[in-house]
């Protein structure tokens, strides 16, 4: 089987106190891996050749409605760590480096970025993206919906549920801004959001994912 060999190369989940054990990650996380090419569980996938394993993703139960923002970030970092192609990206350290106020920082800056995204949705830049990617006009409403969903998941901490294309939209919208657009007291908080989006998008680009609909985690979207 094409995917069978990945099992032995997957890292073990750490049993220390690095993260809270209530972040919803099951002990048998290896068994939640699916092939992004054929959609089959990795035990039944027969894909072979160049790129096998690159588009794997996790299929997990719904995130608890009351799961705190910080635990959702820890959940995402654990999934990154357990993906055989993402192990060189230290998402764990990235999350641990955030200040204890990170949840409030994201909550404070959300209205600012929602305004930026709304401006981007009506910009020539997004229309140019539509032309470049040859997105049919009848799918444009769906693209605008992707913008809203990406914002929702970003500020809820569900970073694994954001599709690659949605990260592109987030990145483009946020890059329309500059530090002088914001009060000095907000700039550091805003930088956390920018670094998160740019860092994850860069990680996915290095992974070599070609499917713009790929996401690290596929599960029912939680209420936030």
């Amino acid at each position: 089987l094409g995917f069978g060999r990945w099992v032995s190369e997957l890292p073990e989940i750490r049993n220390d106190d690095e993260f809270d054990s209530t972040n919803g990650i099951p002990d048998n996380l290896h068994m939640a891996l699916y092939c992004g090419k054929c959609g089959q569980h990795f035990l039944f996938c027969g894909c072979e050749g160049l790129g096998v394993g690159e588009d794997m993703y996790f299929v997990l139960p719904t995130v608890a409605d009351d799961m705190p923002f910080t635990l959702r970030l820890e959940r995402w970092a654990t999934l990154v760590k357990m993906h055989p192609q993402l192990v060189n990206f230290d998402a764990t350290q990235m999350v641990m480096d955030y200040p204890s106020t990170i949840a409030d920082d994201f909550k404070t800056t959300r209205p600012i970025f929602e305004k930026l995204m709304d401006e981007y949705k009506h910009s020539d830049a997004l229309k140019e993206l539509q032309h470049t990617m040859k997105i049919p006009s009848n799918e444009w409403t769906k693209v605008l919906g992707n913008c809203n969903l990406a914002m929702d998941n970003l500020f809820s901490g569900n970073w694994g549920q954001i599709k690659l294309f949605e990260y592109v939209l987030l990145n483009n919208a946020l890059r329309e801004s500059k530090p002088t657009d914001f009060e000095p007291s907000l700039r550091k908080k805003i930088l956390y959001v920018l670094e998160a989006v740019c860092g994850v998008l860069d990680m996915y680009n290095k992974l070599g994912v070609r499917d713009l609909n790929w996401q690290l985690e596929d599960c029912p979207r939680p209420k936030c």
Side-chain angles (χ1 to χ4, degrees):
L1 293 179
F3 257 162
R5 63 179 180 274
W6 285 102
V7 182
S8 61
E9 297 178 14
L10 292 173
E12 294 296 326
I13 296 179
R14 291 181 62 172
N15 295 318
D16 56 21
D17 295 326
E18 180 178 88
F19 281 159
D20 193 311
S21 61
T22 60
N23 61 20
I25 296 294
D27 293 335
N28 60 340
L29 184 58
H30 295 163
M31 301 305 294
L33 278 169
Y34 282 73
C35 173
K37 299 181 184 299
C38 68
Q40 295 291 318
H41 189 278
F42 75 91
L43 289 178
F44 303 102
C45 171
C47 294
E48 294 281 1
L50 184 65
V52 65
E54 287 181 351
D55 294 345
M56 284 199 296
Y57 62 97
F58 296 98
V59 177
L60 297 169
T62 305
V63 176
D65 293 349
D66 59 352
M67 183 181 292
F69 178 84
T70 51
L71 286 187
R72 294 182 190 222
L73 293 191
E74 292 175 5
R75 174 189 178 93
W76 166 77
T78 301
L79 294 179
V80 171
K81 179 180 178 179
M82 294 301 295
H83 194 289
Q85 292 293 319
L86 298 178
V87 293
N88 291 327
F89 183 86
D90 198 349
T92 298
Q93 192 61 53
M94 175 180 172
V95 171
M96 293 180 71
D97 283 345
Y98 282 139
S100 58
T101 58
I102 190 63
D104 289 335
D105 291 343
F106 266 66
K107 184 176 181 180
T108 299
T109 57
R110 178 167 184 163
I112 297 172
F113 285 110
E114 286 179 337
K115 183 175 182 295
L116 287 173
M117 179 59 81
D118 188 60
E119 292 173 353
Y120 178 65
K121 287 191 295 186
H122 297 89
S123 70
D124 292 336
L126 187 55
K127 294 178 181 178
E128 184 178 341
L129 180 67
Q130 177 191 19
H131 177 73
T132 301
M133 299 184 65
K134 299 179 180 180
I135 302 174
S137 299
N138 60 352
E139 293 186 11
W140 193 239
T141 301
K142 182 178 179 180
V143 171
L144 297 180
N146 285 134
C147 292
N148 297 333
L149 182 59
M151 292 292 291
D152 192 16
N153 278 324
L154 174 67
F155 286 94
S156 299
N158 302 319
W159 294 0
Q161 297 179 37
I162 302 176
K163 297 179 180 180
L164 175 59
F165 179 56
E166 292 169 350
Y167 269 113
V168 172
L169 294 174
L170 284 169
N171 181 68
N172 291 351
L174 302 188
R175 284 186 177 275
E176 293 292 313
S177 65
K178 54 185 181 297
T180 53
D181 292 338
F182 314 107
E183 294 294 329
S185 60
L186 286 176
R187 290 176 190 171
K188 183 63 176 178
K189 297 177 181 180
I190 288 170
L191 187 60
Y192 289 137
V193 182
L194 291 170
E195 289 177 340
V197 173
C198 295
V200 177
L201 183 57
D202 182 60
M203 173 182 67
Y204 287 175
N205 286 334
K206 289 179 179 177
L207 172 60
V209 175
R210 292 169 292 277
D211 182 3
L212 289 173
N213 287 314
W214 183 86
Q215 59 197 94
L216 180 63
E217 176 185 6
D218 184 12
C219 72
R221 183 181 168 204
K223 298 176 182 179
C224 303

